[in-house]
Amino acid sequence: MNKQQKQLAEKILKLKNEKRALLLAHNYQRPEIQEIADYIADSIGLCRKAQQEKDAELLIFSAVNFMAESAVILNPDKKVVIPDKNAFCPMATMLPAEEVKLARKKHPNAIVVLYVNTRAETKAMCDVCCTSSNAVQVVNSLDEERVIFGPDSNLAWYVQQHTDKEIIPIPKNGFCYVHRLFSEGDILLAREQHPNAEVLVHPECVPEVQRIADFIGSTSQMYRYAIESPKKEFVIATETGLIDRMKREHPEKEYIPAYSEAVCSAMKLNTLEKIYLALKNEEPRVTLPKAIMKKARKAVERMTEITGR
Ligand code: 13P
Ligand code: SF4
């Protein structure tokens, strides 16, 4: 952190204490935000933390919009504030609620499982949610043999490799533009240059990349894997914020980005300045219509019942 950032960080920590607010940050947040966050995690981790924190009435959610919406869905009585209200995940807008309705009509005996990377009104149309860390567990826990799954077609492919059920992806080609940047060639080259490294990739990467990985998991699963592995070098195929965290918290190991330009611009919209203002003004607040919240809550709660809290 530079001097200016340090001063701002001190102001944030003081105000956060006074207001008994909680700063929750996704693994992709800027390093200076990670340094002062109360908790850094993947999307399920942030969901859980928001639910467990009974005392904090104000949650500053340094992540993208759908993650903050999940916190609202699970904590209707808490004030959830996002530092930048334009922090939208583009993948989350790829599946309109109407498309879920049409898919249900087309496949009446299938159950609908949606990745949390969806807008609340779309979540409200599904039977159960999942995250990248629990998608296989959620799908395999269901009685139905056919599963409509969206919006990420790469995560859908990953789930299909780990289940006997039929996965029906909606939309046909939903994707994350950041994870689509990694190619098979990047991984093969990194393996050549770092023959002792293990390759860790996110399930939002394309199948060609997943096929040649040593480990596939959510951001926090990749983090844990690297810490617990006896290996010292890791090639990482996900957004660079996770690498910042790994380097800061476990500098004894080496982390090589599979592609160093893999940056999520929505995640990076959050800054220390915006966090300070969000904390001070308690806005922009994330709110949802009651009816949508009620339906979406059922789907998110069903996920947490399956995976345990
Ligand atoms: P995680 O749940 O793995 O943190 O993923 C969220 C996400 O947006 C990945 O791009
Ligand atoms: Fe969305 Fe991809 Fe950014 Fe994750 S990395 S928030 S899926 S655009």
mmCIF file of all heavy atoms in Angstrom, residues 184-230:
data_model
loop_
_atom_site.group_PDB
_atom_site.id
_atom_site.type_symbol
_atom_site.label_atom_id
_atom_site.label_comp_id
_atom_site.label_asym_id
_atom_site.label_seq_id
_atom_site.Cartn_x
_atom_site.Cartn_y
_atom_site.Cartn_z
ATOM 1 N N GLU A 184 -5.541 -23.678 -24.116
ATOM 2 C CA GLU A 184 -4.758 -24.913 -23.933
ATOM 3 C C GLU A 184 -3.269 -24.600 -24.145
ATOM 4 O O GLU A 184 -2.402 -25.075 -23.404
ATOM 5 C CB GLU A 184 -5.248 -25.937 -24.961
ATOM 6 C CG GLU A 184 -4.713 -27.311 -24.745
ATOM 7 C CD GLU A 184 -5.195 -28.262 -25.828
ATOM 8 O OE1 GLU A 184 -5.815 -27.820 -26.823
ATOM 9 O OE2 GLU A 184 -4.943 -29.467 -25.668
ATOM 10 N N GLY A 185 -2.982 -23.736 -25.148
ATOM 11 C CA GLY A 185 -1.601 -23.368 -25.471
ATOM 12 C C GLY A 185 -0.904 -22.691 -24.289
ATOM 13 O O GLY A 185 0.265 -22.965 -24.008
ATOM 14 N N ASP A 186 -1.639 -21.798 -23.572
ATOM 15 C CA ASP A 186 -1.061 -21.121 -22.390
ATOM 16 C C ASP A 186 -0.612 -22.148 -21.362
ATOM 17 O O ASP A 186 0.459 -22.042 -20.765
ATOM 18 C CB ASP A 186 -2.116 -20.245 -21.683
ATOM 19 C CG ASP A 186 -2.520 -19.043 -22.497
ATOM 20 O OD1 ASP A 186 -1.694 -18.568 -23.285
ATOM 21 O OD2 ASP A 186 -3.673 -18.586 -22.329
ATOM 22 N N ILE A 187 -1.469 -23.132 -21.154
ATOM 23 C CA ILE A 187 -1.185 -24.122 -20.092
ATOM 24 C C ILE A 187 -0.009 -25.010 -20.516
ATOM 25 O O ILE A 187 0.893 -25.275 -19.712
ATOM 26 C CB ILE A 187 -2.441 -25.003 -19.802
ATOM 27 C CG1 ILE A 187 -3.667 -24.133 -19.493
ATOM 28 C CG2 ILE A 187 -2.162 -26.010 -18.684
ATOM 29 C CD1 ILE A 187 -3.598 -23.322 -18.231
ATOM 30 N N LEU A 188 -0.011 -25.428 -21.774
ATOM 31 C CA LEU A 188 1.077 -26.302 -22.245
ATOM 32 C C LEU A 188 2.417 -25.575 -22.174
ATOM 33 O O LEU A 188 3.419 -26.142 -21.740
ATOM 34 C CB LEU A 188 0.783 -26.796 -23.671
ATOM 35 C CG LEU A 188 -0.424 -27.741 -23.785
ATOM 36 C CD1 LEU A 188 -0.719 -28.062 -25.244
ATOM 37 C CD2 LEU A 188 -0.206 -29.024 -22.983
ATOM 38 N N LEU A 189 2.406 -24.290 -22.541
ATOM 39 C CA LEU A 189 3.639 -23.497 -22.484
ATOM 40 C C LEU A 189 4.115 -23.340 -21.034
ATOM 41 O O LEU A 189 5.299 -23.516 -20.722
ATOM 42 C CB LEU A 189 3.386 -22.115 -23.115
ATOM 43 C CG LEU A 189 4.593 -21.190 -23.178
ATOM 44 C CD1 LEU A 189 5.656 -21.754 -24.139
ATOM 45 C CD2 LEU A 189 4.175 -19.785 -23.644
ATOM 46 N N ALA A 190 3.153 -23.041 -20.141
ATOM 47 C CA ALA A 190 3.504 -22.880 -18.715
ATOM 48 C C ALA A 190 4.070 -24.181 -18.160
ATOM 49 O O ALA A 190 5.026 -24.181 -17.388
ATOM 50 C CB ALA A 190 2.277 -22.442 -17.926
ATOM 51 N N ARG A 191 3.512 -25.310 -18.585
ATOM 52 C CA ARG A 191 4.020 -26.616 -18.120
ATOM 53 C C ARG A 191 5.459 -26.849 -18.592
ATOM 54 O O ARG A 191 6.273 -27.388 -17.856
ATOM 55 C CB ARG A 191 3.127 -27.742 -18.639
ATOM 56 C CG ARG A 191 1.904 -28.002 -17.795
ATOM 57 C CD ARG A 191 1.487 -29.456 -17.980
ATOM 58 N NE ARG A 191 0.198 -29.749 -17.382
ATOM 59 C CZ ARG A 191 0.026 -30.011 -16.086
ATOM 60 N NH1 ARG A 191 1.046 -29.991 -15.260
ATOM 61 N NH2 ARG A 191 -1.169 -30.302 -15.624
ATOM 62 N N GLU A 192 5.713 -26.407 -19.836
ATOM 63 C CA GLU A 192 7.052 -26.572 -20.387
ATOM 64 C C GLU A 192 8.065 -25.724 -19.609
ATOM 65 O O GLU A 192 9.158 -26.171 -19.269
ATOM 66 C CB GLU A 192 7.005 -26.090 -21.837
ATOM 67 C CG GLU A 192 7.795 -26.964 -22.803
ATOM 68 C CD GLU A 192 7.592 -26.429 -24.212
ATOM 69 O OE1 GLU A 192 6.524 -26.732 -24.786
ATOM 70 O OE2 GLU A 192 8.477 -25.701 -24.698
ATOM 71 N N GLN A 193 7.631 -24.468 -19.302
ATOM 72 C CA GLN A 193 8.536 -23.539 -18.604
ATOM 73 C C GLN A 193 8.675 -23.844 -17.111
ATOM 74 O O GLN A 193 9.650 -23.468 -16.481
ATOM 75 C CB GLN A 193 8.048 -22.105 -18.792
ATOM 76 C CG GLN A 193 8.206 -21.636 -20.227
ATOM 77 C CD GLN A 193 7.507 -20.312 -20.494
ATOM 78 O OE1 GLN A 193 6.609 -19.925 -19.762
ATOM 79 N NE2 GLN A 193 7.905 -19.636 -21.559
ATOM 80 N N HIS A 194 7.666 -24.496 -16.540
ATOM 81 C CA HIS A 194 7.677 -24.799 -15.098
ATOM 82 C C HIS A 194 7.312 -26.276 -14.898
ATOM 83 O O HIS A 194 6.212 -26.593 -14.437
ATOM 84 C CB HIS A 194 6.660 -23.910 -14.360
ATOM 85 C CG HIS A 194 6.862 -22.454 -14.625
ATOM 86 N ND1 HIS A 194 7.749 -21.678 -13.913
ATOM 87 C CD2 HIS A 194 6.311 -21.627 -15.555
ATOM 88 C CE1 HIS A 194 7.728 -20.450 -14.389
ATOM 89 N NE2 HIS A 194 6.871 -20.392 -15.386
ATOM 90 N N PRO A 195 8.232 -27.166 -15.265
ATOM 91 C CA PRO A 195 7.885 -28.600 -15.247
ATOM 92 C C PRO A 195 7.531 -29.145 -13.862
ATOM 93 O O PRO A 195 6.853 -30.165 -13.756
ATOM 94 C CB PRO A 195 9.158 -29.270 -15.795
ATOM 95 C CG PRO A 195 10.231 -28.238 -15.731
ATOM 96 C CD PRO A 195 9.586 -26.913 -15.760
ATOM 97 N N ASN A 196 7.937 -28.452 -12.791
ATOM 98 C CA ASN A 196 7.615 -28.954 -11.445
ATOM 99 C C ASN A 196 6.319 -28.377 -10.878
ATOM 100 O O ASN A 196 5.923 -28.718 -9.764
ATOM 101 C CB ASN A 196 8.756 -28.629 -10.463
ATOM 102 C CG ASN A 196 10.019 -29.357 -10.876
ATOM 103 O OD1 ASN A 196 9.953 -30.503 -11.326
ATOM 104 N ND2 ASN A 196 11.154 -28.680 -10.766
ATOM 105 N N ALA A 197 5.699 -27.480 -11.638
ATOM 106 C CA ALA A 197 4.506 -26.808 -11.105
ATOM 107 C C ALA A 197 3.248 -27.658 -11.267
ATOM 108 O O ALA A 197 3.143 -28.467 -12.192
ATOM 109 C CB ALA A 197 4.317 -25.481 -11.821
ATOM 110 N N GLU A 198 2.291 -27.450 -10.348
ATOM 111 C CA GLU A 198 0.962 -28.043 -10.521
ATOM 112 C C GLU A 198 0.065 -26.983 -11.155
ATOM 113 O O GLU A 198 0.205 -25.788 -10.855
ATOM 114 C CB GLU A 198 0.383 -28.445 -9.160
ATOM 115 C CG GLU A 198 0.983 -29.715 -8.614
ATOM 116 C CD GLU A 198 0.230 -30.222 -7.391
ATOM 117 O OE1 GLU A 198 0.166 -29.478 -6.393
ATOM 118 O OE2 GLU A 198 -0.272 -31.354 -7.437
ATOM 119 N N VAL A 199 -0.853 -27.431 -12.007
ATOM 120 C CA VAL A 199 -1.724 -26.486 -12.721
ATOM 121 C C VAL A 199 -3.116 -26.498 -12.081
ATOM 122 O O VAL A 199 -3.797 -27.528 -12.062
ATOM 123 C CB VAL A 199 -1.810 -26.863 -14.218
ATOM 124 C CG1 VAL A 199 -2.801 -25.954 -14.942
ATOM 125 C CG2 VAL A 199 -0.437 -26.780 -14.869
ATOM 126 N N LEU A 200 -3.518 -25.339 -11.538
ATOM 127 C CA LEU A 200 -4.821 -25.214 -10.878
ATOM 128 C C LEU A 200 -5.725 -24.320 -11.722
ATOM 129 O O LEU A 200 -5.337 -23.198 -12.045
ATOM 130 C CB LEU A 200 -4.677 -24.598 -9.479
ATOM 131 C CG LEU A 200 -3.504 -25.036 -8.588
ATOM 132 C CD1 LEU A 200 -3.642 -24.423 -7.206
ATOM 133 C CD2 LEU A 200 -3.432 -26.540 -8.487
ATOM 134 N N VAL A 201 -6.910 -24.806 -12.062
ATOM 135 C CA VAL A 201 -7.793 -24.005 -12.925
ATOM 136 C C VAL A 201 -9.204 -23.932 -12.355
ATOM 137 O O VAL A 201 -9.643 -24.796 -11.604
ATOM 138 C CB VAL A 201 -7.828 -24.534 -14.396
ATOM 139 C CG1 VAL A 201 -6.443 -24.906 -14.913
ATOM 140 C CG2 VAL A 201 -8.771 -25.700 -14.570
ATOM 141 N N HIS A 202 -9.903 -22.871 -12.744
ATOM 142 C CA HIS A 202 -11.294 -22.676 -12.304
ATOM 143 C C HIS A 202 -12.212 -23.408 -13.293
ATOM 144 O O HIS A 202 -11.912 -23.445 -14.501
ATOM 145 C CB HIS A 202 -11.594 -21.168 -12.286
ATOM 146 C CG HIS A 202 -12.819 -20.821 -11.513
ATOM 147 N ND1 HIS A 202 -14.078 -20.898 -12.054
ATOM 148 C CD2 HIS A 202 -12.973 -20.409 -10.233
ATOM 149 C CE1 HIS A 202 -14.960 -20.533 -11.122
ATOM 150 N NE2 HIS A 202 -14.317 -20.233 -10.014
ATOM 151 N N PRO A 203 -13.349 -23.957 -12.822
ATOM 152 C CA PRO A 203 -14.235 -24.673 -13.760
ATOM 153 C C PRO A 203 -14.946 -23.768 -14.772
ATOM 154 O O PRO A 203 -15.676 -24.273 -15.631
ATOM 155 C CB PRO A 203 -15.236 -25.389 -12.842
ATOM 156 C CG PRO A 203 -15.177 -24.677 -11.555
ATOM 157 C CD PRO A 203 -13.806 -24.093 -11.434
ATOM 158 N N GLU A 204 -14.732 -22.457 -14.690
ATOM 159 C CA GLU A 204 -15.261 -21.577 -15.738
ATOM 160 C C GLU A 204 -14.332 -21.567 -16.959
ATOM 161 O O GLU A 204 -14.660 -20.958 -17.979
ATOM 162 C CB GLU A 204 -15.428 -20.152 -15.209
ATOM 163 C CG GLU A 204 -16.600 -20.005 -14.250
ATOM 164 C CD GLU A 204 -16.716 -18.614 -13.644
ATOM 165 O OE1 GLU A 204 -16.035 -17.695 -14.116
ATOM 166 O OE2 GLU A 204 -17.483 -18.458 -12.692
ATOM 167 N N CYS A 205 -13.159 -22.215 -16.856
ATOM 168 C CA CYS A 205 -12.259 -22.304 -18.011
ATOM 169 C C CYS A 205 -12.844 -23.282 -19.033
ATOM 170 O O CYS A 205 -13.624 -24.175 -18.679
ATOM 171 C CB CYS A 205 -10.881 -22.817 -17.574
ATOM 172 S SG CYS A 205 -9.988 -21.641 -16.559
ATOM 173 N N VAL A 206 -12.413 -23.150 -20.275
ATOM 174 C CA VAL A 206 -12.947 -24.014 -21.343
ATOM 175 C C VAL A 206 -12.493 -25.465 -21.125
ATOM 176 O O VAL A 206 -11.466 -25.705 -20.473
ATOM 177 C CB VAL A 206 -12.519 -23.517 -22.748
ATOM 178 C CG1 VAL A 206 -13.133 -22.150 -23.052
ATOM 179 C CG2 VAL A 206 -11.004 -23.463 -22.876
ATOM 180 N N PRO A 207 -13.263 -26.450 -21.651
ATOM 181 C CA PRO A 207 -12.922 -27.869 -21.444
ATOM 182 C C PRO A 207 -11.482 -28.229 -21.808
ATOM 183 O O PRO A 207 -10.839 -29.004 -21.100
ATOM 184 C CB PRO A 207 -13.917 -28.619 -22.338
ATOM 185 C CG PRO A 207 -15.095 -27.708 -22.417
ATOM 186 C CD PRO A 207 -14.555 -26.315 -22.363
ATOM 187 N N GLU A 208 -10.931 -27.635 -22.890
ATOM 188 C CA GLU A 208 -9.555 -27.972 -23.304
ATOM 189 C C GLU A 208 -8.553 -27.636 -22.195
ATOM 190 O O GLU A 208 -7.533 -28.309 -22.049
ATOM 191 C CB GLU A 208 -9.144 -27.192 -24.567
ATOM 192 C CG GLU A 208 -9.962 -27.471 -25.821
ATOM 193 C CD GLU A 208 -11.344 -26.842 -25.779
ATOM 194 O OE1 GLU A 208 -11.467 -25.688 -25.336
ATOM 195 O OE2 GLU A 208 -12.323 -27.524 -26.163
ATOM 196 N N VAL A 209 -8.830 -26.593 -21.443
ATOM 197 C CA VAL A 209 -7.952 -26.190 -20.331
ATOM 198 C C VAL A 209 -8.200 -27.105 -19.120
ATOM 199 O O VAL A 209 -7.264 -27.583 -18.483
ATOM 200 C CB VAL A 209 -8.187 -24.695 -19.989
ATOM 201 C CG1 VAL A 209 -7.545 -24.317 -18.659
ATOM 202 C CG2 VAL A 209 -7.645 -23.812 -21.110
ATOM 203 N N GLN A 210 -9.469 -27.353 -18.833
ATOM 204 C CA GLN A 210 -9.802 -28.221 -17.681
ATOM 205 C C GLN A 210 -9.180 -29.608 -17.845
ATOM 206 O O GLN A 210 -8.670 -30.184 -16.886
ATOM 207 C CB GLN A 210 -11.315 -28.354 -17.541
ATOM 208 C CG GLN A 210 -12.023 -27.061 -17.166
ATOM 209 C CD GLN A 210 -13.485 -27.305 -16.789
ATOM 210 O OE1 GLN A 210 -13.815 -28.315 -16.180
ATOM 211 N NE2 GLN A 210 -14.365 -26.380 -17.137
ATOM 212 N N ARG A 211 -9.222 -30.119 -19.082
ATOM 213 C CA ARG A 211 -8.748 -31.491 -19.351
ATOM 214 C C ARG A 211 -7.286 -31.697 -18.963
ATOM 215 O O ARG A 211 -6.897 -32.789 -18.583
ATOM 216 C CB ARG A 211 -8.901 -31.824 -20.835
ATOM 217 C CG ARG A 211 -10.257 -32.358 -21.184
ATOM 218 C CD ARG A 211 -10.226 -33.077 -22.549
ATOM 219 N NE ARG A 211 -11.598 -33.213 -23.038
ATOM 220 C CZ ARG A 211 -12.129 -32.407 -23.956
ATOM 221 N NH1 ARG A 211 -11.410 -31.457 -24.517
ATOM 222 N NH2 ARG A 211 -13.377 -32.579 -24.323
ATOM 223 N N ILE A 212 -6.473 -30.635 -19.062
ATOM 224 C CA ILE A 212 -5.034 -30.817 -18.803
ATOM 225 C C ILE A 212 -4.603 -30.214 -17.456
ATOM 226 O O ILE A 212 -3.420 -29.996 -17.215
ATOM 227 C CB ILE A 212 -4.170 -30.263 -19.968
ATOM 228 C CG1 ILE A 212 -4.540 -28.804 -20.275
ATOM 229 C CG2 ILE A 212 -4.319 -31.123 -21.214
ATOM 230 C CD1 ILE A 212 -3.612 -28.157 -21.298
ATOM 231 N N ALA A 213 -5.581 -29.960 -16.583
ATOM 232 C CA ALA A 213 -5.256 -29.383 -15.267
ATOM 233 C C ALA A 213 -4.949 -30.484 -14.258
ATOM 234 O O ALA A 213 -5.368 -31.630 -14.419
ATOM 235 C CB ALA A 213 -6.441 -28.561 -14.771
ATOM 236 N N ASP A 214 -4.215 -30.119 -13.188
ATOM 237 C CA ASP A 214 -4.009 -31.061 -12.082
ATOM 238 C C ASP A 214 -5.131 -30.947 -11.064
ATOM 239 O O ASP A 214 -5.432 -31.884 -10.343
ATOM 240 C CB ASP A 214 -2.677 -30.754 -11.367
ATOM 241 C CG ASP A 214 -1.496 -31.010 -12.275
ATOM 242 O OD1 ASP A 214 -1.434 -32.119 -12.835
ATOM 243 O OD2 ASP A 214 -0.667 -30.102 -12.450
ATOM 244 N N PHE A 215 -5.719 -29.757 -10.992
ATOM 245 C CA PHE A 215 -6.801 -29.545 -10.025
ATOM 246 C C PHE A 215 -7.776 -28.522 -10.585
ATOM 247 O O PHE A 215 -7.377 -27.512 -11.159
ATOM 248 C CB PHE A 215 -6.228 -29.039 -8.689
ATOM 249 C CG PHE A 215 -7.291 -28.750 -7.666
ATOM 250 C CD1 PHE A 215 -7.917 -29.784 -6.988
ATOM 251 C CD2 PHE A 215 -7.689 -27.441 -7.397
ATOM 252 C CE1 PHE A 215 -8.924 -29.522 -6.056
ATOM 253 C CE2 PHE A 215 -8.697 -27.172 -6.466
ATOM 254 C CZ PHE A 215 -9.303 -28.218 -5.797
ATOM 255 N N ILE A 216 -9.086 -28.792 -10.390
ATOM 256 C CA ILE A 216 -10.125 -27.850 -10.837
ATOM 257 C C ILE A 216 -10.961 -27.500 -9.609
ATOM 258 O O ILE A 216 -11.430 -28.401 -8.899
ATOM 259 C CB ILE A 216 -11.037 -28.497 -11.912
ATOM 260 C CG1 ILE A 216 -10.197 -29.010 -13.087
ATOM 261 C CG2 ILE A 216 -12.095 -27.506 -12.401
ATOM 262 C CD1 ILE A 216 -10.963 -29.911 -14.055
ATOM 263 N N GLY A 217 -11.139 -26.217 -9.348
ATOM 264 C CA GLY A 217 -11.951 -25.853 -8.181
ATOM 265 C C GLY A 217 -12.288 -24.376 -8.141
ATOM 266 O O GLY A 217 -11.812 -23.588 -8.960
ATOM 267 N N SER A 218 -13.114 -24.029 -7.160
ATOM 268 C CA SER A 218 -13.486 -22.624 -6.948
ATOM 269 C C SER A 218 -12.248 -21.851 -6.502
ATOM 270 O O SER A 218 -11.202 -22.458 -6.200
ATOM 271 C CB SER A 218 -14.565 -22.526 -5.862
ATOM 272 O OG SER A 218 -13.973 -22.667 -4.583
ATOM 273 N N THR A 219 -12.351 -20.548 -6.394
ATOM 274 C CA THR A 219 -11.181 -19.746 -6.015
ATOM 275 C C THR A 219 -10.641 -20.170 -4.643
ATOM 276 O O THR A 219 -9.434 -20.343 -4.478
ATOM 277 C CB THR A 219 -11.523 -18.241 -6.043
ATOM 278 O OG1 THR A 219 -12.682 -18.012 -5.235
ATOM 279 C CG2 THR A 219 -11.786 -17.769 -7.446
ATOM 280 N N SER A 220 -11.523 -20.364 -3.675
ATOM 281 C CA SER A 220 -11.031 -20.753 -2.334
ATOM 282 C C SER A 220 -10.525 -22.195 -2.322
ATOM 283 O O SER A 220 -9.600 -22.516 -1.570
ATOM 284 C CB SER A 220 -12.124 -20.560 -1.277
ATOM 285 O OG SER A 220 -12.311 -19.179 -1.064
ATOM 286 N N GLN A 221 -11.108 -23.048 -3.142
ATOM 287 C CA GLN A 221 -10.596 -24.429 -3.232
ATOM 288 C C GLN A 221 -9.186 -24.438 -3.840
ATOM 289 O O GLN A 221 -8.327 -25.204 -3.413
ATOM 290 C CB GLN A 221 -11.552 -25.301 -4.047
ATOM 291 C CG GLN A 221 -12.834 -25.631 -3.295
ATOM 292 C CD GLN A 221 -13.871 -26.340 -4.167
ATOM 293 O OE1 GLN A 221 -13.904 -26.170 -5.389
ATOM 294 N NE2 GLN A 221 -14.726 -27.124 -3.544
ATOM 295 N N MET A 222 -8.956 -23.579 -4.841
ATOM 296 C CA MET A 222 -7.611 -23.484 -5.444
ATOM 297 C C MET A 222 -6.616 -22.981 -4.398
ATOM 298 O O MET A 222 -5.498 -23.477 -4.289
ATOM 299 C CB MET A 222 -7.630 -22.508 -6.641
ATOM 300 C CG MET A 222 -8.396 -23.026 -7.836
ATOM 301 S SD MET A 222 -8.776 -21.691 -8.998
ATOM 302 C CE MET A 222 -7.342 -21.698 -9.988
ATOM 303 N N TYR A 223 -7.055 -21.998 -3.636
ATOM 304 C CA TYR A 223 -6.205 -21.413 -2.584
ATOM 305 C C TYR A 223 -5.807 -22.497 -1.574
ATOM 306 O O TYR A 223 -4.633 -22.672 -1.267
ATOM 307 C CB TYR A 223 -7.000 -20.281 -1.917
ATOM 308 C CG TYR A 223 -6.350 -19.668 -0.708
ATOM 309 C CD1 TYR A 223 -5.430 -18.635 -0.839
ATOM 310 C CD2 TYR A 223 -6.673 -20.102 0.583
ATOM 311 C CE1 TYR A 223 -4.835 -18.062 0.271
ATOM 312 C CE2 TYR A 223 -6.084 -19.539 1.691
ATOM 313 C CZ TYR A 223 -5.166 -18.516 1.535
ATOM 314 O OH TYR A 223 -4.583 -17.960 2.640
ATOM 315 N N ARG A 224 -6.802 -23.239 -1.085
ATOM 316 C CA ARG A 224 -6.517 -24.291 -0.088
ATOM 317 C C ARG A 224 -5.618 -25.372 -0.669
ATOM 318 O O ARG A 224 -4.706 -25.868 -0.021
ATOM 319 C CB ARG A 224 -7.826 -24.924 0.417
ATOM 320 C CG ARG A 224 -8.366 -24.231 1.662
ATOM 321 C CD ARG A 224 -9.470 -25.025 2.309
ATOM 322 N NE ARG A 224 -10.605 -25.270 1.424
ATOM 323 C CZ ARG A 224 -11.583 -24.398 1.226
ATOM 324 N NH1 ARG A 224 -11.590 -23.238 1.842
ATOM 325 N NH2 ARG A 224 -12.579 -24.672 0.404
ATOM 326 N N TYR A 225 -5.901 -25.743 -1.926
ATOM 327 C CA TYR A 225 -5.108 -26.799 -2.570
ATOM 328 C C TYR A 225 -3.632 -26.396 -2.591
ATOM 329 O O TYR A 225 -2.753 -27.188 -2.238
ATOM 330 C CB TYR A 225 -5.618 -27.046 -3.992
ATOM 331 C CG TYR A 225 -4.903 -28.189 -4.678
ATOM 332 C CD1 TYR A 225 -5.433 -29.480 -4.636
ATOM 333 C CD2 TYR A 225 -3.688 -27.997 -5.328
ATOM 334 C CE1 TYR A 225 -4.765 -30.539 -5.242
ATOM 335 C CE2 TYR A 225 -3.011 -29.056 -5.926
ATOM 336 C CZ TYR A 225 -3.562 -30.319 -5.890
ATOM 337 O OH TYR A 225 -2.887 -31.366 -6.474
ATOM 338 N N ALA A 226 -3.370 -25.148 -2.999
ATOM 339 C CA ALA A 226 -1.975 -24.686 -3.111
ATOM 340 C C ALA A 226 -1.284 -24.688 -1.746
ATOM 341 O O ALA A 226 -0.122 -25.071 -1.623
ATOM 342 C CB ALA A 226 -1.928 -23.298 -3.731
ATOM 343 N N ILE A 227 -2.006 -24.288 -0.704
ATOM 344 C CA ILE A 227 -1.399 -24.241 0.638
ATOM 345 C C ILE A 227 -1.075 -25.649 1.124
ATOM 346 O O ILE A 227 -0.027 -25.905 1.713
ATOM 347 C CB ILE A 227 -2.376 -23.592 1.648
ATOM 348 C CG1 ILE A 227 -2.606 -22.136 1.283
ATOM 349 C CG2 ILE A 227 -1.839 -23.688 3.070
ATOM 350 C CD1 ILE A 227 -3.755 -21.538 2.063
ATOM 351 N N GLU A 228 -2.025 -26.560 0.867
ATOM 352 C CA GLU A 228 -1.860 -27.908 1.433
ATOM 353 C C GLU A 228 -0.957 -28.820 0.595
ATOM 354 O O GLU A 228 -0.456 -29.827 1.089
ATOM 355 C CB GLU A 228 -3.245 -28.558 1.616
ATOM 356 C CG GLU A 228 -3.992 -27.919 2.788
ATOM 357 C CD GLU A 228 -5.482 -28.215 2.789
ATOM 358 O OE1 GLU A 228 -5.919 -29.100 2.019
ATOM 359 O OE2 GLU A 228 -6.206 -27.544 3.556
ATOM 360 N N SER A 229 -0.732 -28.462 -0.657
ATOM 361 C CA SER A 229 0.084 -29.316 -1.525
ATOM 362 C C SER A 229 1.563 -29.285 -1.098
ATOM 363 O O SER A 229 2.082 -28.241 -0.708
ATOM 364 C CB SER A 229 -0.039 -28.813 -2.972
ATOM 365 O OG SER A 229 0.961 -29.400 -3.760
ATOM 366 N N PRO A 230 2.250 -30.434 -1.197
ATOM 367 C CA PRO A 230 3.689 -30.426 -0.893
ATOM 368 C C PRO A 230 4.500 -29.707 -1.977
ATOM 369 O O PRO A 230 5.653 -29.361 -1.773
ATOM 370 C CB PRO A 230 4.044 -31.916 -0.842
ATOM 371 C CG PRO A 230 2.959 -32.615 -1.586
ATOM 372 C CD PRO A 230 1.731 -31.760 -1.516
#
